[in-house]
Amino acid sequence: MSEEYLLELEHIRKEYPGVVALKDVSLRLRRGEVLALIGENGAGKSTLIKTCSGAVIPTSGKIRINGKEFDRMTPQLAAENGIAIIYQEFNNVGELSAAENLFLGRPIRKGIMIDRKAMEEEAAKAFAQLQIKIDPRELVKNLTVGYQQMIEIAKAIQQNAQVLIMDEPSAPLTSNEVENMFKVVELLRKKGVSIIYISHRLEEIFRLSDRIEVLRDGEYIETLITRESTVDQLIKLMVGREMTQKYPERKPCIDKNKVVLELKNVCGNGDENMSLKIHAGEVLGLGGLVGAGRTELAEVIFGAAKKESGQMFLNGKEINPRNPREAIDLGIALVPEDRKRHGALLTNTIKNNINMPIYERISSASVINSRTERSNAEKYMKEMAIKTPSFQQHVKNLSGGNQQKVILGKWMAADSRLIIFDEPTRGIDVGAKYEIYKLINSLVEEGRSVLMISSEMEELMGMSDRIIVLSEHKMTGELEKEYFNADKIMTYASMAADGKKEN
Ligand SMILES: Nc1ncnc2c1ncn2[C@@H]1O[C@H](COP(=O)(O)OP(=O)(O)OP(=O)(O)O)[C@@H](O)[C@H]1O
Ligand SMILES: [Mg+2]
């Protein structure tokens, strides 16, 4: 046993039927450090940290906390030994208040009665300690994702956690919320809490961590000291090969004579006067801050929200899709941002998910052509490099990024003419990002059109042929590729709709 390490995972192996998720992986967390855990989608990061709470029982290996050895953990043992985890999908109950969530499963009682007032006071103290402003009585469903996450962190602190494990905490947050979360992480580090931080965003890793552990395909690769390592080095360790190019080459393929989608003064879903054209073979980027109305616009085009006025044309014909089904039939697809809520049927298989939009087409007299169904699933699993042994696998068992690929595969199979991507690479690792960019390229090279919403400036500029920027539900700027410039885009994005710049 070593004094230096608070938590040690030794030679952890985890087998699932047909998959070895972890092969002999070890991890050592020092007191008071932030250890980043990185690796591609499906590398085994979530599985590894879940062994610390008993959410995953290792096939073999040991867990040591403060020198005490365990073969397996349980949620209770984890809590008793000061370990708290913020999962990729967190566990709040929306119908309960912030205070009630904080004390979920261990309410403060006065006699046999639950002491609501005491819980609210304790909650207020906990939030104040983290310097966050949450009303303890507010229902959690009314709070933003950022605040919901803060409640999870507050819960960990309440329980006196010495180790806080965070699985992609920044993925669902807006940039302001990310800044707040960073502040809380710094605060905790100062208080002596040790942190394991999982993220695909390398800039966060460099900003927060002391050391970095890299996993690849369920194997331990290396642990580095953050200030002695470089982005290129990390990427190489994660991907297992040199990646010199971030954006794949695209053949020129825009047909300026062929307007696929045209909007004329479209209003609806909060957005006003949206006018734009997308050509065949073009990637039109939609930039702006979170809340600018980009997702809202996508929903109107996809028939998921009502258009109140204005006109939409697809290949010159006026269209008015009243629901997504009609939009899909017209050849429009939407790959949504929140894959858990809209994109994938998690309890269904990969095969069902991929074939979802086309069951009508591959069936005759309600009998599904199962051979086509299978070959479709196989084809897209291979093309998207979805890491799992079989298309019979339930989507909920896939790693976060591989779930995103299933959703993409589904729309590829649907043969749509216009594909709208809402934050296509959120939560996706560098290697898979490149694959998705290649896919977007192949879509437009086939003459399809893409509307891409992205909050990542680099991606927006790297992938788009043209960028339209929204702010406060209005269009504030448009740039052709040769004039792309991050400052300019930010200026448009923070422009008040009346044209004045905000401070
Ligand atoms: N319950 C399960 N049944 C079968 N396979 C599983 C299960 N849970 C995880 N796996 C597999 O184990 C591997 C590791 O998954 P894990 O979720 O740990 O990856 P990850 O590194 O967290 O990826 P991401 O960055 O996408 O979140 C994947 O191949 C995944 O499909
Ligand atoms: Mg994960």
Side-chain angles (χ1 to χ4, degrees):
M1 128 177 193
S2 136
E3 279 289 296
E4 199 184 347
Y5 299 110
L6 186 51
L7 171 72
E8 293 165 276
L9 304 175
E10 298 271 354
H11 306 293
I12 303 284
R13 181 177 177 86
K14 177 63 189 175
E15 295 172 11
Y16 289 108
V19 195
V20 184
L22 297 171
K23 305 162 199 157
D24 191 18
V25 175
S26 296
L27 176 150
R28 291 174 162 184
L29 180 65
R30 292 195 177 126
R31 289 170 202 284
E33 79 167 338
V34 178
L35 175 70
L37 185 60
I38 65 172
E40 292 188 286
N41 298 127
K45 306 178 295 295
S46 298
T47 307
L48 183 66
I49 57 113
K50 282 179 184 165
T51 61
C52 300
S53 67
V56 164
I57 307 291
T59 311
S60 61
K62 295 261 180 270
I63 297 160
R64 262 202 299 279
I65 308 167
N66 269 318
K68 233 196 299 178
E69 196 166 290
F70 303 87
D71 291 330
R72 59 191 288 176
M73 294 298 288
T74 64
Q76 176 151 13
L77 272 179
E80 282 169 15
N81 286 280
I83 296 189
I85 305 187
I86 315 253
Y87 291 107
Q88 233 164 337
E89 271 97 34
F90 27 92
N91 304 317
N92 289 316
V93 182
E95 299 302 325
L96 297 181
S97 72
E100 285 165 327
N101 267 287
L102 200 57
F103 290 97
L104 200 65
R106 37 172 204 107
I108 302 178
R109 291 177 194 276
K110 199 152 86 195
I112 54 162
M113 302 291 284
I114 288 186
D115 190 345
R116 212 163 290 282
K117 188 142 175 289
M119 292 201 310
E120 280 163 12
E121 279 168 16
E122 284 302 310
K125 265 191 240 160
F127 297 149
Q129 234 189 32
L130 294 177
Q131 302 170 6
I132 44 179
K133 294 192 186 76
I134 299 179
D135 176 354
R137 276 167 306 205
E138 188 62 70
L139 292 188
V140 160
K141 65 170 182 201
N142 298 333
L143 296 173
T144 61
V145 178
Y147 279 136
Q148 293 185 15
Q149 186 180 68
M150 286 299 164
I151 294 179
E152 296 273 301
I153 298 177
K155 208 193 277 177
I157 303 315
Q158 256 284 316
Q159 298 176 4
N160 256 325
Q162 295 171 47
V163 177
L164 180 65
I165 303 175
M166 307 172 88
D167 197 352
E168 291 195 47
S170 60
L173 303 185
T174 65
S175 45
N176 275 334
E177 290 170 336
V178 170
E179 281 305 317
N180 283 333
M181 187 258 298
F182 283 0
K183 279 189 203 137
V184 170
V185 169
E186 286 300 341
L187 208 76
L188 294 176
R189 190 217 299 257
K190 286 210 189 91
K191 285 184 200 281
V193 177
S194 310
I195 294 169
I196 299 179
Y197 189 93
I198 300 179
S199 175
H200 289 292
R201 301 186 189 161
L202 295 181
E203 69 275 11
E204 297 180 356
I205 303 292
F206 278 102
R207 183 159 155 195
L208 291 178
S209 73
D210 301 299
R211 293 190 307 141
I212 306 169
E213 169 156 339
V214 186
L215 302 185
R216 182 167 74 231
D217 283 333
E219 289 184 73
Y220 172 86
I221 301 296
E222 204 175 321
T223 306
L224 305 98
I225 295 170
T226 307
R227 58 176 166 9
E228 293 171 0
S229 45
T230 65
V231 173
D232 288 342
Q233 191 184 6
L234 293 181
I235 292 179
K236 193 174 165 195
L237 289 173
M238 282 194 290
V239 182
R241 62 189 149 86
E242 207 90 48
M243 280 209 28
T244 43
Q245 230 184 331
K246 269 187 118 168
Y247 299 96
E249 207 82 44
R250 186 187 305 157
K251 292 187 212 116
C253 51
I254 304 179
D255 184 353
K256 283 275 179 196
N257 295 319
K258 209 168 150 201
V259 176
V260 172
L261 180 78
E262 179 169 11
L263 306 189
K264 282 187 182 163
N265 293 312
V266 167
C267 300
N269 209 11
D271 285 352
E272 289 167 45
N273 288 321
M274 297 285 157
S275 297
L276 59 81
K277 282 181 188 171
I278 307 178
H279 303 91
E282 184 176 39
V283 177
L284 177 64
L286 212 48
L289 304 174
V290 172
R294 296 170 301 169
T295 299
E296 286 77 358
L297 176 61
E299 286 170 350
V300 170
I301 298 172
F302 192 54
K306 200 168 169 272
K307 176 176 66 110
E308 272 140 29
S309 61
Q311 289 174 298
M312 289 201 286
F313 301 87
L314 192 71
N315 295 319
K317 264 199 254 123
E318 186 161 3
I319 57 163
N320 281 299
R322 284 166 302 178
N323 51 49
R325 179 78 256 165
E326 289 187 9
I328 292 167
D329 289 342
L330 287 163
I332 301 174
L334 172 67
V335 183
E337 176 178 22
D338 182 349
R339 58 183 169 245
K340 203 174 154 201
R341 269 206 342 225
H342 311 288
L345 294 169
L346 296 181
T347 54
N348 231 312
T349 62
I350 297 175
K351 185 179 74 179
N352 292 146
N353 266 284
I354 286 183
N355 287 294
M356 194 74 58
I358 53 167
Y359 270 124
E360 236 162 86
R361 208 173 63 216
I362 63 172
S363 312
S364 60
S366 319
V367 179
I368 298 168
N369 180 337
S370 57
R371 198 185 303 153
T372 316
E373 192 192 14
R374 256 202 324 272
S375 65
N376 250 331
E378 262 162 10
K379 171 163 176 241
Y380 290 101
M381 249 181 74
K382 185 150 160 265
E383 260 179 38
M384 315 282 306
I386 297 172
K387 264 186 217 154
T388 182
S390 151
F391 51 67
Q392 298 293 9
Q393 186 64 262
H394 282 201
V395 173
K396 68 171 183 325
N397 291 341
L398 295 181
S399 76
N402 280 305
Q403 290 182 3
Q404 177 77 335
K405 293 191 205 165
V406 172
I407 299 171
L408 291 178
K410 167 171 134 183
W411 294 118
M412 309 301 246
D415 199 24
S416 314
R417 304 312 302 167
L418 170 71
I419 299 109
I420 308 171
F421 290 94
D422 196 351
E423 307 284 1
T425 63
R426 181 165 287 182
I428 286 196
D429 67 57
V430 271
K433 262 188 190 172
Y434 192 81
E435 294 304 312
I436 287 174
Y437 298 148
K438 277 208 310 219
L439 269 159
I440 291 180
N441 281 359
S442 63
L443 288 173
V444 289
E445 283 168 2
E446 283 171 17
R448 308 194 211 195
S449 307
V450 166
L451 179 63
M452 185 187 78
I453 299 174
S454 174
S455 297
E456 267 186 60
M457 185 64 78
E458 238 199 86
E459 169 175 285
L460 193 66
M461 297 201 293
M463 285 303 294
S464 309
D465 294 305
R466 193 157 48 93
I467 295 173
I468 285 182
V469 186
L470 303 193
S471 172
E472 297 183 0
H473 300 271
K474 292 203 176 82
M475 291 182 170
T476 48
E478 178 170 350
L479 292 167
E480 292 288 341
K481 195 166 192 76
E482 57 266 41
Y483 302 107
F484 283 179
N485 166 311
D487 288 340
K488 218 176 220 160
I489 295 173
M490 277 319 290
T491 307
Y492 285 138
S494 51
M495 196 135 48
D498 59 10
K500 281 193 215 111
K501 207 180 152 208
E502 284 176 6
N503 0 310

